[in-house]
Amino acid sequence: MLNIRLCNVVPPFFRRGCTDIICCVLFMLVILGYMVVGILAWLYGDPRQVLYPRNSAGMYCGIGVYKDQPSVFYYNILKCAASLNVIAATLNGLQCPTTQVCVQQCPNTFWGLSVTDYLPGVKPANVFNQSLCLPTINLENTNLVCSLPSKLSFLNVFSLFGYFIINASIDITNGFNARDIGVKIFEDFASSWQWVIAALVIAMVVSFLFLLLLRFIAPVIVWVLILGVLAVGAYGIYHCWWEYDNYNKLNASISTVGFTTNFGVYLQVKETWLAFLIIISVVEAILLLTLIFLRTRIFIAIALIQESSKAISHMMSTLFYPIITFILLLVCVAYWGITALYLATSGTQVYNVVALNSTQGTCGQIMGNVTCDPQHLVESMPPRCVFIMYNTQGLWQRNMFNLQIYNVVAFLWCINFVLALGQCTLAGAFASYYWAFSKPSDIPTFPLSQAFIRTLRYHVGSLAFGALILTLVQLVRIILEYLDHKTRAAQNPCARFLFCCLKCCFWCLEKFIKFLNRNAYIMIAVYGKNFCVSAKNAFLLLMRNIVRVVVLDKITDLLLFFGKLLVVGGVGVLAFFFFSGRIILPGSSFRPQMLHYYWMPIIVVIVGAYLIAHGFFSVYNMCVDTLFLCFLEDLERHDGSVQKPYYMSKNLMKILNKKNQGPKKGKDKN
């Protein structure tokens, strides 16, 4: 009998094999293709095209020979706006039809030529700034009279308008200097980063203690919150009755008011408060009846929450697993962004010879299909060498759009796979706790590491399958958003209603797929079946216990919301009092006067505290869901006999009036 018992004690997650091999192979091929695309994009792409400006000769400002000249100066920036339509229609490019040069710093003053500047003997170097001239022009060897047009066209109305634009820009820059603000914010962080980190550590400690103490305080918190909701409803009933009684004595009826757009008047009639009284009373009655009939399920939910806190206390490493998920997500996002950047800048640039109007400086016509090299054409004389487009000839260039689509699809698939890997790994670790017959002696030594290795060894295909289904739904949502954005101006009410319905339906479908995938990954971690079988079994199991699912889900959400409010609100208030100077620590060298904007470190602390609390509580939520499914499986598969003993805790068995039979009962030291 003892041998039979020990056989049944063997956890189910030890009996498994590789699942969804076809999807695993497909996912590996997509990853290899994604790597090939990234390598080719790195070979053909040139991110300098979007990171650095260029002058008229096509040279990059800020690197190479112009490394000390990071800015680009437009001779007449008004031509960029005045000739925008001409450029789009004639050149199909983005080159501004004015000379551009690399400069160390853009000029912030307006100046013009006087009549005396044209007198013989005046050197151009005494009038012009060499750093603002084209590299092909040397002011020491240039005749001023020959180098200027016969008319002072730069003193026309456009230049006068440019004068006001320049001065207005200078005033705005002096009044709101983004760079100066950025420097001040950096200085604030430099002087307060130790205290910001200290606040985040406090948030981490509070989140950790809250989860560990739930095994003791969960019943108190749950019942206090439930009774608090009932108390609020009871006060609402009393207040509505009091208002109704007062207006009833005054004979304030809706018949004396009639119809009015001033809705505040309706709060002064008895019928309004009577309606509020009836509605709140019905809601209160429903809550009371629900509490009475579902009290056992509430006790079960509280016991599972306490059991989850015990599990985390035995596997504290699980609380830090979100860091691994965050790093993997960061790698995916970085790889996607870099690949997209290199793909967007792939291909050589095409320049054509363009005739310019020498008097007006506007774009003329493209001189046939004559290509040119901007670095070898003299830019000071027409015609000019102007950028037209990127080369679209060749297999790589023709499929650039398709490669960007591939980049997005592979990125979404990888992101969803990383999230699935985290969920399945945590589910495997927590399932090893539940299916340990004698706790904690039967719990594996390194449950998280074993679950991670087991998931990668056997179930990559199943995780990729679930991630692919979710990715396809997300792609449909992206396409709908794109079509809605592009056709919004031409949509009639019916089309807008149709798009709204489609987006709502696919949003709901995405939520359902996420819910189904999450529970399927738990069943995969427990039994090692393929994705479809696990998803079906999890869905049917939850549907057979739908009331328990709803009760546990709402109580868990209530507890976690209270926990996040406690962590974020408490740490945020503490940071506000500290950084605003209302609390001064003795012996501390920090003073609020050291900060330019004391609200910046407060915002960082609040956001960081929320992310920390969300990371901790997401692990706890996964633990509750895993133990809940294991509990339902335990109820359906076992009957407490010697051959099929229950694995649940004694507290759960006591609530359900169940017990294990036989001379040897499971020992639960917790």
Side-chain angles (χ1 to χ4, degrees), residues 409 412 416 467-477 506:
V409 174
L412 292 177
N416 292 323
L468 177 61
I469 296 174
L470 184 58
T471 299
L472 295 177
V473 176
Q474 291 173 341
L475 284 175
V476 174
R477 290 194 62 201
F506 278 96

Side-chain angles (χ1 to χ4, degrees), residues 127-141:
V127 180
F128 293 99
N129 187 349
Q130 178 67 59
S131 63
L132 303 181
C133 294
L134 288 171
T136 55
I137 296 179
N138 188 350
L139 295 180
E140 296 295 337
N141 302 323

Side-chain angles (χ1 to χ4, degrees), residues 298-556:
I298 294 175
F299 285 128
I300 294 175
I302 294 174
L304 284 171
I305 290 172
Q306 292 177 301
E307 198 68 18
S308 300
S309 183
K310 290 181 184 179
I312 289 179
S313 66
H314 291 293
M315 306 175 184
M316 292 186 181
S317 59
T318 57
L319 292 175
F320 300 96
Y321 184 83
I323 298 177
I324 299 177
T325 301
F326 175 76
I327 293 175
L328 293 177
L329 291 177
L330 192 63
V331 170
C332 292
V333 172
Y335 186 83
W336 166 78
I338 294 174
T339 303
L341 177 62
Y342 274 84
L343 283 175
T345 57
S346 296
T348 57
Q349 299 144 343
V350 177
Y351 290 85
N352 278 5
V353 178
V354 178
L356 297 179
N357 190 318
S358 60
T359 59
Q360 299 180 1
T362 59
C363 292
Q365 297 180 347
I366 301 177
M367 300 178 63
N369 194 22
V370 181
T371 59
C372 58
D373 186 355
Q375 302 186 33
H376 296 88
L377 189 69
V378 179
E379 292 287 331
S380 60
M381 302 295 292
R384 286 192 55 193
C385 193
V386 177
F387 168 74
I388 303 299
M389 61 180 179
Y390 290 104
N391 183 20
T392 59
Q393 304 299 321
L395 181 62
W396 174 262
Q397 287 76 16
R398 289 197 303 268
N399 291 279
M400 196 62 59
F401 178 76
N402 298 331
L403 293 174
Q404 288 286 14
I405 297 296
Y406 184 87
N407 184 29
V408 173
V409 174
F411 166 71
L412 292 177
W413 199 355
C414 291
I415 289 291
N416 292 323
F417 177 82
V418 169
L419 296 176
L421 177 63
Q423 292 174 354
C424 194
T425 300
L426 291 174
F430 295 130
S432 67
Y433 168 84
Y434 186 91
W435 296 111
F437 190 74
S438 296
K439 303 177 180 65
S441 58
D442 289 343
I443 300 176
T445 306
F446 301 104
L448 184 63
S449 301
Q450 291 184 15
F452 183 76
I453 296 173
R454 189 167 56 244
T455 302
L456 289 180
R457 180 180 177 183
Y458 296 109
H459 306 304
V460 171
S462 297
L463 302 185
F465 193 6
L468 177 61
I469 296 174
L470 184 58
T471 299
L472 295 177
V473 176
Q474 291 173 341
L475 284 175
V476 174
R477 290 194 62 201
I478 293 174
I479 293 173
L480 285 175
E481 291 290 346
Y482 176 78
L483 294 177
D484 185 29
H485 176 73
K486 288 296 184 180
T487 61
R488 183 174 295 274
Q491 289 177 7
N492 53 31
C494 292
R496 285 194 296 270
F497 175 76
L498 179 61
F499 270 107
C500 183
C501 291
L502 288 175
K503 290 192 292 184
C504 180
C505 290
F506 278 96
W507 178 83
C508 295
L509 179 61
E510 182 181 359
K511 293 297 181 182
F512 174 74
I513 294 297
K514 287 182 177 179
F515 170 78
L516 187 63
N517 284 3
R518 181 185 181 90
N519 292 281
Y521 298 147
I522 295 175
M523 298 299 285
I524 290 172
V526 175
Y527 291 106
K529 304 296 183 180
N530 61 53
F531 177 81
C532 293
V533 173
S534 299
K536 183 194 71 173
N537 293 339
F539 181 75
L540 295 178
L541 181 63
L542 293 174
M543 290 300 102
R544 291 194 297 268
N545 301 271
I546 186 63
V547 178
R548 286 173 175 168
V549 172
V550 174
V551 172
L552 178 67
D553 183 64
K554 296 308 174 186
I555 291 180
T556 305

Side-chain angles (χ1 to χ4, degrees), residues 119-196:
L119 296 176
V122 177
K123 295 183 178 180
N126 297 334
V127 180
F128 293 99
N129 187 349
Q130 178 67 59
S131 63
L132 303 181
C133 294
L134 288 171
T136 55
I137 296 179
N138 188 350
L139 295 180
E140 296 295 337
N141 302 323
T142 303
N143 190 321
L144 181 61
V145 178
C146 298
S147 63
L148 293 174
S150 58
K151 297 181 180 179
L152 299 179
S153 59
F154 53 87
L155 293 178
N156 56 16
V157 178
F158 292 104
S159 294
L160 292 177
F161 180 71
Y163 169 80
F164 293 112
I165 292 293
I166 292 174
N167 282 275
S169 302
I170 294 172
D171 294 337
I172 295 175
T173 303
N174 293 334
F176 188 76
N177 194 329
R179 182 177 180 181
D180 183 57
I181 293 177
V183 171
K184 290 181 179 179
I185 292 175
F186 179 80
E187 292 175 353
D188 289 345
F189 284 125
S191 59
S192 63
W193 66 269
Q194 302 96 329
W195 301 104
V196 171

